[in-house]
Amino acid sequence: APNNATLHARYATVQMSMKDMPGAEASLRKALAIDPGMGGAQLSLLNVLVGQKKFPSALALAKSVQQRQPASPNGYKLEGDVLSAQDLHAGAARAYERAFALQPSGALMAQLHGALAKAGKAADANARMSDWLSKHPRDIAARIYYASGLLVAKDYEGAAEHLHAVLRFEPSNVLALNDLAWASQQLKRADALSYAERAYKLAPASPAVLDTLGWILYEN
């Protein structure tokens, strides 16, 4: 079935698992020659090119997607990914901004936030994310992403606030419980252990959960 784009794309995943990146690139190019609009193949090819540090080719792919699909965010997202891989964060932020303007989403907001923060515009990044979450309070993935960044920045109070919001919608979210346990422990709150134990009951084999629970028990 030489004209089946899906099979060429699936074969590329096998080649990638075998670390045959040149072969995967060839298979993905065949898939896109047959069906230029395959979003999954576009992203896979971009990742293969970036992995081989073929940045000009990756950028050319993103530009070609923009030309073929001017109303789609995909080409601008791909451009942002290429620029991010080269630590060109200001340019990446501009690309993600254009993608977000075409089709707003929590995933794009997270990428835009990350690019802005790395470009030295943390205040702008946080303001944009806070505005998004105020309008989309049930965007669990974006909220957890933001809370994780606050934890890294040691803003435990801010992280705890967002993690509590996650648990109001998803009381059994293991990642939120585990991160809230850690944030609460840093804030010297008595409920830290209870959150860690709830996470442990839900995911007793998780290394991250075991690590948090172990440290809280040790520090207590």
Side-chain angles (χ1 to χ4, degrees):
N3 295 319
N4 189 315
T6 300
L7 287 179
H8 285 297
R10 290 177 65 182
Y11 185 42
T13 65
V14 177
Q15 292 170 302
M16 284 186 277
S17 71
M18 298 168 65
K19 310 300 182 186
D20 178 9
M21 295 307 170
E25 179 183 343
S27 294
L28 289 165
R29 289 194 182 280
K30 288 179 183 177
L32 290 170
I34 298 165
D35 183 358
M38 285 187 72
Q42 292 168 354
L43 181 58
S44 294
L45 178 56
L46 183 113
N47 289 333
V48 167
L49 292 171
V50 168
Q52 299 176 92
K53 299 191 182 302
K54 294 182 177 180
F55 298 120
S57 295
L59 189 58
L61 170 64
K63 295 294 186 181
S64 70
V65 174
Q66 292 170 16
Q67 291 173 356
R68 283 197 302 269
Q69 304 170 348
S72 168
N74 294 344
Y76 297 104
K77 182 209 175 306
L78 294 176
E79 180 183 355
D81 292 347
V82 176
L83 296 174
S84 290
Q86 300 173 82
D87 293 328
L88 301 173
H89 300 298
R94 289 191 293 270
Y96 291 138
E97 185 76 75
R98 295 191 69 177
F100 184 82
L102 288 169
Q103 187 175 313
S105 70
L108 278 172
M109 175 50 66
Q111 288 192 291
L112 175 57
H113 176 275
L116 286 170
K118 290 175 182 176
K121 297 181 178 179
D124 186 22
N126 291 341
R128 294 289 301 273
M129 179 59 79
S130 295
D131 180 65
W132 173 263
L133 291 174
S134 70
K135 296 173 181 175
H136 304 83
R138 290 180 177 269
D139 190 338
I140 302 302
R143 197 177 289 279
I144 287 181
Y145 156 83
Y146 189 38
S148 297
L150 294 173
L151 280 179
V152 171
K154 297 186 178 180
D155 180 359
Y156 302 117
E157 191 75 51
E161 178 184 346
H162 287 286
L163 294 167
H164 277 297
V166 170
L167 293 175
R168 283 197 293 271
F169 297 117
E170 294 185 2
S172 297
N173 189 301
V174 173
L175 181 55
L177 286 168
N178 187 62
D179 283 355
L180 182 55
W182 183 252
S184 298
Q185 182 70 3
Q186 304 314 301
L187 294 166
K188 309 299 182 185
R189 292 177 177 170
D191 57 2
L193 181 58
S194 67
Y195 289 121
E197 289 175 336
R198 283 171 61 186
Y200 175 70
K201 288 179 181 178
L202 291 165
S206 166
V209 168
L210 287 166
D211 180 62
T212 300
L213 177 59
W215 271 110
I216 291 174
L217 290 170
Y218 173 78
E219 289 183 345
N220 288 358

